[in-house]
Amino acid sequence: CSHLGRPKDGPEDKFSLGPCAERMGELLGQDVKLAPDCIGEEVAALVNDAKEGDVIMLENTRFYKEETKNEPEFVEKLAAPFDLFVNDAFGTAHRAHASTEGVTKFLSPAVSGYLLAKELEYLDGAIQSGEKPMAAIVGGSKVSSKITVLEALLDKCDKIIIGGGMVFTFLKAKGLDVGTSLVEDDFVDTAKEVMEKAEKLGKEILLPSDIIVADAFAPDANTQTVSADAIPDGWMGLDNGPETTKEQKEFLTDCKTIIMNGPMGVFEFEAFNKGTFGIVDILADLTKEKGAVTIIGGGDSVAACEQSGRAKDMSHISTGGGASLELMEGKVLPGVAALADKK
């Protein structure tokens, strides 16, 4: 079973899992039957009539609002036709939903699939016991969305690279002018605290030394490369400069384990993708040439790796955005905690 999208009021054709069943059939080389629902007598009959080796896909579980509410009566109906449960959906393991956590109360054994096990091995394993020196690359637009994971990684890692829009909150915390760059004023003090904590722990934080700035947030904006301490008024930082990429390569050269979460700039615009693609190349080369374990922690980082053509060279590309973040923050994932083989 699975979900697709966020249906508002019951079934919607555009959120049907029909295309998913068809594609799974192509991958398996056999017919995959799409059940007309995810609960009810028709589903039970389809399951009961199935022969060994048959594959049935249940219709979108989110066609019922009870799925996300983990409503007990719905959970029991969802589990009713089945004997055991295998969760291989890491991307939803941070949700205590009916199809991820609820059904484990009615089905035994409830275990992880190979993908979920691999995600935990790499993400959780690297954070808890990765080979040192260990580095984290934390990017993205806002300190507010990454502060918890940043603080958690600061405790575990030897080195931290900060990139993306959140850089400018840190630069402002250092007393620098940042032009019209994105800044979260409410988190300037938080950024100061992170830098002070790193100093106390003897950890290194690397911020960009040069910035590609633009006179507008647009793919065809005028640009220039400036020192991080010389961003002009009326200009905004949208990517790392070339000197920063060189410094990042040197900074990471001895690292055995590297976790990346978030891009270095607005890589969706070609003019501002060099910083992100540059650090992706650094990680890919460290894996191929030095055997470093490189883990790409979901979301935009995965998209950047795919676009750069280097995804295949990384040790592990996570399939979870929010799940990756929460695991790196040290949170318990309900969909994992509910499994019999969670250890």
Side-chain angles (χ1 to χ4, degrees):
C1 68
S2 188
H3 78 268
L4 178 66
R6 299 178 185 274
K8 292 180 180 177
D9 298 301
E12 295 181 53
D13 287 346
K14 66 179 179 180
F15 293 127
S16 171
L17 292 186
C20 301
E22 186 177 335
R23 178 60 179 148
M24 181 174 278
E26 293 171 359
L27 294 170
L28 294 176
Q30 69 177 84
D31 182 48
V32 173
K33 295 175 184 174
L34 178 70
D37 206 331
C38 63
I39 60 172
E41 292 181 3
E42 284 186 274
V43 174
L46 199 59
V47 173
N48 289 337
D49 292 343
K51 298 177 178 61
E52 186 173 344
D54 284 355
V55 179
I56 299 165
M57 183 177 291
L58 302 186
E59 187 53 284
N60 193 340
T61 55
R62 284 196 185 170
F63 283 168
Y64 291 88
K65 63 182 183 298
E66 294 88 345
E67 152 71 355
T68 54
K69 293 179 179 179
N70 204 1
E71 201 273 327
E73 288 184 14
F74 174 76
V75 170
E76 192 167 4
K77 291 176 185 176
L78 183 62
F82 305 103
D83 301 311
L84 57 89
F85 175 64
V86 179
N87 186 353
D88 215 16
F90 176 71
T92 59
H94 61 311
R95 306 293 190 201
H97 290 174
S99 63
T100 59
E101 193 268 349
V103 292
T104 65
K105 297 177 175 69
F106 296 92
L107 299 173
S108 182
V111 299
S112 74
Y114 293 124
L115 174 65
L116 180 56
K118 185 184 179 188
E119 291 276 14
L120 296 173
E121 175 191 347
Y122 271 97
L123 277 169
D124 198 38
I127 292 166
Q128 300 305 326
S129 55
E131 191 176 353
K132 304 280 189 171
M134 185 187 303
I137 301 161
V138 183
S141 59
K142 294 183 177 181
V143 177
S144 56
S145 62
K146 295 291 178 76
I147 187 60
T148 310
V149 72
L150 183 56
E151 289 183 333
L153 291 172
L154 194 56
D155 287 329
K156 302 287 184 181
C157 297
D158 305 292
K159 300 180 177 185
I160 302 277
I161 287 175
I162 294 175
M166 60 193 295
V167 158
F168 304 103
T169 301
F170 278 85
L171 293 181
K172 187 167 183 178
K174 294 181 74 171
L176 300 176
D177 291 328
V178 294
T180 57
S181 305
L182 176 67
V183 171
E184 290 182 285
D185 288 316
D186 291 347
F187 284 84
V188 169
D189 286 341
T190 304
K192 288 179 183 176
E193 289 166 9
V194 168
M195 291 187 284
E196 288 167 3
K197 180 180 177 180
E199 192 173 347
K200 283 181 183 175
L201 294 174
K203 307 293 180 74
E204 297 178 79
I205 289 183
L206 183 68
L207 290 164
S209 62
D210 63 340
I211 306 281
I212 298 176
V213 297
D215 60 358
F217 187 84
D220 57 352
N222 295 310
T223 66
Q224 56 179 313
T225 302
V226 299
S227 173
D229 61 3
I231 298 174
D233 288 344
W235 292 70
M236 64 183 73
L238 296 180
D239 195 14
N240 290 341
E243 287 306 311
T244 295
T245 301
K246 290 178 186 175
E247 289 164 10
Q248 289 171 342
K249 183 175 182 179
E250 180 65 27
F251 190 69
L252 295 171
T253 189
D254 64 339
C255 291
K256 305 293 186 186
T257 307
I258 307 165
I259 302 162
M260 178 177 176
N261 187 277
M264 299 293 98
V266 186
F267 72 94
E268 297 88 349
F269 296 162
E270 187 177 351
F272 310 109
N273 65 15
K274 294 179 180 61
T276 299
F277 289 175
I279 204 159
V280 165
D281 281 337
I282 292 167
L283 299 194
D285 291 344
L286 284 171
T287 302
K288 289 185 75 174
E289 296 168 11
K290 295 191 175 184
V293 174
T294 49
I295 300 163
I296 310 302
D300 287 340
S301 306
V302 174
C305 288
E306 297 287 355
Q307 286 182 31
S308 72
R310 301 301 303 268
K312 66 184 183 301
D313 297 323
M314 303 299 180
S315 305
H316 181 65
I317 301 277
S318 180
T319 57
S324 298
L325 264 181
E326 292 197 14
L327 193 61
M328 286 190 279
E329 288 170 7
K331 293 180 180 177
V332 174
L333 306 184
V336 174
L339 302 176
D341 64 342
K342 57 183 174 291
K343 294 180 181 178

